[in-house]
Amino acid sequence: MTIRAGAIVVLALALTAVTGCRPDDQATRTADPRAVAERLGPALMARLDSANAAFREGRFEVALQLYRSVATAAPDESVGWFGVYMAEEAVGNQAAADSALERARQRAPGASLIRPDTVAPEDGGDG
C-alpha cells in the first residue's frame, strides 16, 4: 500500500493538482486546500483527517466509513469521493471504487491525480 500512501498526502491537501507545461486541453485545476477546508468546515475536515489517519494505519473499513460520511455530507466535493475510491480499492471492492472515482472525476475536472488523460511531469509528462 505504499503507492496509496502517496495518494493520501494529496488527499489531505484536498486534491491539489500538480500543474506543469500542458496544452490548454490538458490544463489541470489546482484546488486551494484552504478553500476546500473552508467549504467543508471544521467538523468535516476533522472527519477527513481521521479517515486519512485510519487509511495510513491500514484500518480501511474505518477509513471507508469516514470517507463515505464526508462524501455524503459534502457530495459536491471530490475529496470525499476520492477517499471512498481509495478505501474501496483497498478492501477489494473494485466496482464500488470505480464508481467513487468517477464521482470524484465529475467534481474535479482536470485534476491530474484522478484524470487518466493528464500526466504529471514527474510521471513522464513532457512538462
Side-chain angles (χ1 to χ4, degrees), residues 61-82:
E61 291 291 342
V62 171
L64 180 57
Q65 288 178 333
L66 290 165
Y67 287 131
R68 278 187 184 149
S69 72
V70 171
T72 300
D76 293 332
E77 294 291 336
S78 62
V79 66
W81 295 112
F82 187 73

Side-chain angles (χ1 to χ4, degrees), residues 1-10 55 82 85-86 89 113:
M1 288 296 147
T2 57
I3 293 172
R4 296 289 177 243
I8 297 267
V9 171
V10 176
F55 190 93
F82 187 73
Y85 154 71
M86 290 190 322
E89 191 171 65
L113 176 67

